[in-house]
Amino acid sequence: MRSRQRMFAAVMRLLLKCLRLGRRRRFKLVRQVEQLWHYGHLCLRSLLYNSFTNGDVVLDSLFEPVYWLVDHVTRWFGVVFVALVIGLTSSVVAIVYICLLPLILQTYTPAWICWHLAYGHWNLIMIVFHYYMAITTSPGHPPQAKNDLTGVSICRKCIAPKPARTHHCSICNRCVLKMDHHCPWLNNCVGHYNHRYFFSFCLFMTMGCIYCSISGWDMFRDAYAAIERMKLLEKERLQVAANQTYYQTPPPTFSFRQRAFHKSVVYLWVLCSSVALALGALTLWHAALITRGETSIERHINRKERQRLQKKGKVFRNPYSYGSWDNWKVFLGVDVPRHWLTRVLLPSPHLPHGTGLSWDLPPCVMEQRAPLLAI
């Protein structure tokens, strides 16, 4: 009996030892896993740590594949977009000359005829000139030699000098002086030497579309009503043809020329109104940027800099802004009053102020500004 009790006690002690040993091993394994986890987490943070990392940087990193796709699609479809602009503009001009101009000459008074001919052709010339110049003019690129510039940063992609207000275009794969953006409708970057051409094209195209929409409103209503009448008469004609008797004749139908005329007027008005709304909003946006002396890229940079300095109790001032009125004079290249006619209201290929490498005070700015904070 005692031997059985001793055996039972020995077995129980052995089981307790095994349980303790298994628990110790399990706890040791858990501690090892936790140590490996903390070690890996520390290594990952040490490799990816950056004091400038914030939500915007993370979001840009996540959208990097989308940016890559957009860059390559824009690069290959730029020619298609340019052909589309030329085709749509040419179709509107053809409709005006073929359909509307004979009607204007027959119904309008001589004063209104002179007004439409003068304004319409002036607006058309300004659109064609500025679009051609915006496409063919290089936006400007910094020199590749490092000895030509002093006190500038280095582009991380070009490994070349990068002057102030210069940014790298991933589509053109080059740095652009005073880069605003890459425009697929121009198949070109908008920079220092063609920024004025781009804005002038947007402005005069918007003015031309508004002019066509307002002057063609009455003709659009008549043409739309005529098309609705065509559909109704066509429906009646089909009904009559299905139940035709000797005493019934089908209603008269519109000729091909009449159908083409009315549909062309509706197409003209809808296209011009749509472009006027979309391009007008873009023009107002760029006008606000010009008033502040900024580009599209600089607005994003200045906003971040303004927030950073605001946290420190400081005020940010744009070093390239000379005041609203002077900003427009610098942008348009107006040095004397007559330049408002010769350089703004008439086609002018004059160059902008400066070379885009340095930003000295333009001659049209009469008042010297106080030293400003640099970006």
Side-chain angles (χ1 to χ4, degrees):
M1 185 69 178
R2 289 182 179 178
S3 61
R4 291 182 180 179
Q5 291 179 353
R6 289 175 182 173
M7 286 182 60
F8 180 76
V11 170
M12 293 300 296
R13 284 195 297 269
L14 181 61
L15 288 176
L16 289 175
K17 288 182 179 179
C18 291
L19 288 175
R20 289 170 185 166
L21 183 61
R23 186 178 301 175
R24 289 174 183 174
R25 289 181 177 177
R26 186 168 63 252
F27 288 160
K28 186 177 181 181
L29 181 63
V30 171
R31 284 196 299 269
Q32 289 178 352
V33 171
E34 289 180 353
Q35 289 176 357
L36 289 175
W37 168 259
H38 290 304
Y39 178 75
H41 184 66
L42 181 61
C43 290
L44 185 64
R45 290 196 63 182
S46 63
L47 291 174
L48 302 179
Y49 177 76
N50 190 337
S51 60
F52 297 99
T53 301
N54 52 25
D56 293 337
V57 175
V58 175
L59 191 63
D60 291 342
S61 301
L62 293 176
F63 275 89
E64 191 64 30
V66 179
Y67 298 151
W68 181 89
L69 180 63
V70 170
D71 290 345
H72 284 72
V73 169
T74 305
R75 182 181 304 171
W76 291 109
F77 279 87
V79 178
V80 177
F81 291 153
V82 171
L84 186 62
V85 172
I86 296 174
L88 293 177
T89 306
S90 301
S91 66
V92 170
V93 174
I95 292 173
V96 170
Y97 273 102
I98 297 174
C99 299
L100 301 186
L101 186 59
L103 190 62
I104 290 174
L105 296 176
Q106 293 175 2
T107 57
Y108 284 25
T109 61
W112 276 109
I113 292 175
C114 293
W115 153 253
H116 284 292
L117 291 177
Y119 179 80
H121 286 89
W122 170 77
N123 204 340
L124 178 61
I125 291 173
M126 297 297 285
I127 291 173
V128 173
F129 171 78
H130 287 102
Y131 189 67
Y132 174 78
M133 294 299 293
I135 292 176
T136 57
T137 303
S138 173
H141 306 285
Q144 297 298 314
K146 297 183 179 180
N147 296 330
D148 295 341
L149 297 173
T150 57
V152 296
S153 60
I154 301 297
C155 178
R156 293 179 298 175
K157 298 182 179 180
C158 295
I159 315 299
K162 184 179 177 182
R165 311 187 80 177
T166 300
H167 301 279
H168 185 88
C169 177
S170 57
I171 299 175
C172 299
N173 199 23
R174 295 188 66 181
C175 282
V176 178
L177 299 175
K178 191 194 168 186
M179 179 180 175
D180 188 90
H181 68 288
H182 184 94
C183 181
W185 301 102
L186 301 179
N187 195 28
N188 195 8
C189 266
V190 177
H192 179 63
Y193 288 104
N194 65 347
H195 194 182
R196 178 178 65 88
Y197 297 132
F198 164 77
F199 177 78
S200 298
F201 163 72
C202 293
L203 176 62
F204 289 112
M205 178 63 82
T206 302
M207 291 171 57
C209 291
I210 293 174
Y211 162 73
C212 291
S213 299
I214 294 176
S215 59
W217 169 245
D218 293 333
M219 287 183 283
F220 164 74
R221 289 192 305 174
D222 296 339
Y224 186 81
I227 291 176
E228 292 298 322
R229 265 197 321 274
M230 289 181 199
K231 294 180 181 178
L232 182 61
L233 291 176
E234 184 68 20
K235 184 178 180 181
E236 292 179 358
R237 190 181 69 82
L238 293 176
Q239 291 177 353
V240 170
N243 303 319
Q244 189 173 11
T245 63
Y246 293 104
Y247 304 100
Q248 291 177 327
T249 57
T253 58
F254 287 88
S255 64
F256 173 78
R257 185 172 182 177
Q258 291 174 326
R259 292 173 182 271
F261 174 82
H262 295 309
K263 291 181 179 181
S264 298
V265 172
V266 172
Y267 163 80
L268 170 71
W269 192 88
V270 172
L271 178 62
C272 290
S273 300
S274 303
V275 173
L277 290 175
L279 194 59
L282 179 65
T283 304
L284 290 176
W285 164 254
H286 279 278
L289 293 177
I290 295 169
T291 304
R292 295 196 294 262
E294 298 176 334
T295 62
S296 300
I297 298 177
E298 289 174 352
R299 180 188 178 276
H300 181 67
I301 297 174
N302 293 350
R303 180 173 59 85
K304 286 189 173 182
E305 187 68 13
R306 189 176 294 108
Q307 293 175 354
R308 185 183 70 85
L309 293 177
Q310 187 177 5
K311 294 178 180 179
K312 297 182 178 181
K314 299 180 181 179
V315 178
F316 171 78
R317 293 182 182 178
N318 184 7
Y320 309 114
S321 177
Y322 309 103
S324 300
W325 182 247
D326 287 337
N327 286 338
W328 278 101
K329 291 170 64 178
V330 172
F331 178 78
L332 298 174
V334 177
D335 297 329
V336 294
R338 70 171 182 274
H339 286 168
W340 290 103
L341 174 63
T342 59
R343 293 188 173 184
V344 179
L345 298 181
L346 293 177
S348 175
H350 66 276
L351 297 176
H353 289 295
T355 61
L357 303 177
S358 60
W359 299 96
D360 300 327
L361 190 70
C364 59
V365 179
M366 304 298 297
E367 186 179 337
Q368 178 68 47
R369 305 292 176 186
L372 303 177
L373 293 173
I375 296 179

